[in-house]
Amino acid sequence: MPGFELFGEAERKEVNEVLETGILMRYGFDAARKGRWKAKELEQEICNKFNVNHAQLVSSGTAALTTALAVLGIGAGDEVIMPTFTFVASFEAVLSVGAVPILVDVDDSLTLNPEAVRAAITPATKCVMPVHMCGAPADLEALQAICKQHSLLLLEDACQSLGATYKGNYVGTIGDAGAYSFDFVKTVTCAEGGAIVTNDAATHTALDAYSDHGHDHKGNDRGADLHPFLGYNFRISELHAAVGLAQMKRLEEFLAIQKKNHAIIKETLATIPQISFRKIHDADGDSCGSVSWFLPSEQKAKEVVAKLKNENILAGNFYWYDNNWHYIRNWHHLKNLSTYNKLNPEQIDELEKLSSKNFPASDAIISRCITTNISLLWTEEQAKNKAEKLKETIESVL
Ligand SMILES: *Cc1c(COP(=O)(O)O)cnc(C)c1O
């Protein structure tokens, strides 16, 4: 799954070009940088690759979500509907702009259940934020229809699904805006970084300004920039962008390896009649960074996990139900309102409700789910061995 597994010459070359000039910043210093604009080049690469009009690089995927929410005008008291299964960054971003995260159930696609979204809409709802979890798209057609009907914004958290598509379009490019992450364990890495994509020019102008203190970036004198709006500093550095540029150019290479190894794992697991798989909303669009599969019961899933741990083959296999990064059950800090900064009254009210809320529909899915990550380094033989070992362990429990 992660691009860091294949860090090499191409990445070093791009970084060295930046080191040669010493211009580590993405803006200004036009003469000294000798025509090297890695951040700009990477933004163009993203636009070309994903067939989208605009891309704005920022310092992380979390910053990408935060910047997108801010420029889409989402703030104090506004409700953002998001899934119970994601990474903590999704609600961090919502809270950081003063908005209220409304958590709703996922279905067996491991993404937002459109019916649960519909049921959660109130007069305060401003935005639906699907998360394309574990490499595959959410039910975008259904979610788009809901957003249209209720005049809501659609912000895609595509941080885990770079290169995945939905009905022929790349995830992230379908909603009003989409966020990608290039952190160290994502499909393409630049150590720390992220991007927002959009087809709307005005949104892009705002993204560009907001992520750099609101500077309007007009003219050639950075010191003379005006500030039509308040902003923040979520800039990416040229060093990070240089790594990202080399990695982005390798996306097809990474996806091809993922597809091959993914097929080996999935085909082997499919020979076990009691195993079922995550629903994929567009099978051709799966980025194949992982395979998510279900045991018949929570009890059996826990036995398989224990056995994988005992036999030292748990690494690369994730049991989300007990994990505190990705599933609501163990987001105690969120449910206990353990924040350093003060929350606003609407946020406090919702999080207090959340602390006693149960999500039996999500539990019934996540408690039986195990996700196997696909490595870019496996040879065909290694992938086959992994698959067989996994199969043996599962069958010994069933
Ligand atoms: C990784 C991730 C993020 C945040 O990305 P960072 O670059 O680590 O800040 C947001 N959402 C999801 C679903 C992620 O997996």
Side-chain angles (χ1 to χ4, degrees), residues 60-62 65 86-87 89-90 131 133 157 159-160 181 183 186 193:
S60 70
T62 311
L65 289 171
T86 175
F87 175 50
S90 308
V131 181
M133 271 304 268
D157 179 341
C159 289
Q160 290 200 5
S181 165
D183 83 20
K186 297 302 206 282

Side-chain angles (χ1 to χ4, degrees), residues 44 52 110 187 191 204 228-229 301 354:
Q44 194 54 53
V52 65
L110 306 181
T187 311
H204 175 250
F229 293 95
L354 189 64

Side-chain angles (χ1 to χ4, degrees), residues 373-391:
N373 264 0
I374 303 299
S375 171
L376 297 174
L377 297 175
W378 294 340
T379 61
E380 189 174 332
E381 181 157 331
Q382 283 172 324
K384 282 182 178 159
N385 282 339
K386 292 260 173 204
E388 283 306 324
K389 265 207 181 126
L390 203 52
K391 183 178 170 176

